[in-house]
Amino acid sequence: MIMRVVNFLLAVMFLLFAFLQLNDPDPVIWILIYGGMAVFCIMAMFEYYPKKVIIGVLVIFAGYSILYFDGVTAWLQSENKSELFDEVAKMRTWYVEEAREFLGLLICVLVLVVYWFRSLRYNKSQR
């Protein structure tokens, strides 16, 4: 029961993330990413874990996050680390947007890793 609530909250969070992308410079890809994650969370509510799909999406998201690694390193080298979380709608430097997108992908990857482990355990208990 607790996992159903957690998965429901994650689905709502990812849907909110998708909604917030409407004013983003590249909204389509991020709405698809976060919307897809909401679908994974809803499937997890019903203990449905398509292992091969989870692994495929996990690899794609991890690979895509590499494109934003320069932004993360630039943010880590900046003097004002709090600008990543200040003025959420404004990007004063190029690396703020990239670091935020990297963190969004990191959240997705972490959730997918949890679902992958749950798929291993769930598939063992079904045998």
Side-chain angles (χ1 to χ4, degrees), residues 38-106:
V39 170
F40 278 116
C41 295
I42 292 167
M43 289 189 303
M45 285 175 57
F46 299 100
E47 296 181 342
Y48 179 66
Y49 303 101
K51 188 167 36 174
K52 290 180 182 179
V53 176
I54 290 171
I55 291 170
V57 173
L58 180 61
V59 168
I60 290 168
F61 286 0
Y64 190 47
S65 69
I66 292 170
L67 297 176
Y68 297 105
F69 199 69
D70 287 341
V72 173
T73 55
W75 169 66
L76 290 172
Q77 294 170 355
S78 72
E79 291 180 23
N80 185 9
K81 307 263 187 305
S82 66
E83 68 187 339
L84 189 67
F85 307 103
D86 292 345
E87 300 182 38
V88 173
K90 295 182 181 177
M91 266 46 89
R92 294 179 192 241
T93 57
W94 63 273
Y95 58 82
V96 169
E97 175 75 6
E98 288 195 3
R100 287 178 179 169
E101 290 179 348
F102 178 85
L103 290 175
L105 284 169
L106 181 63

Side-chain angles (χ1 to χ4, degrees), residues 2-22:
I2 291 174
M3 282 310 294
R4 275 201 179 176
V5 172
V6 169
N7 288 319
F8 175 76
L9 293 174
L10 285 171
V12 170
M13 178 189 76
F14 282 120
L15 288 173
L16 179 64
F17 284 2
F19 177 75
L20 292 174
Q21 299 306 310
L22 292 175

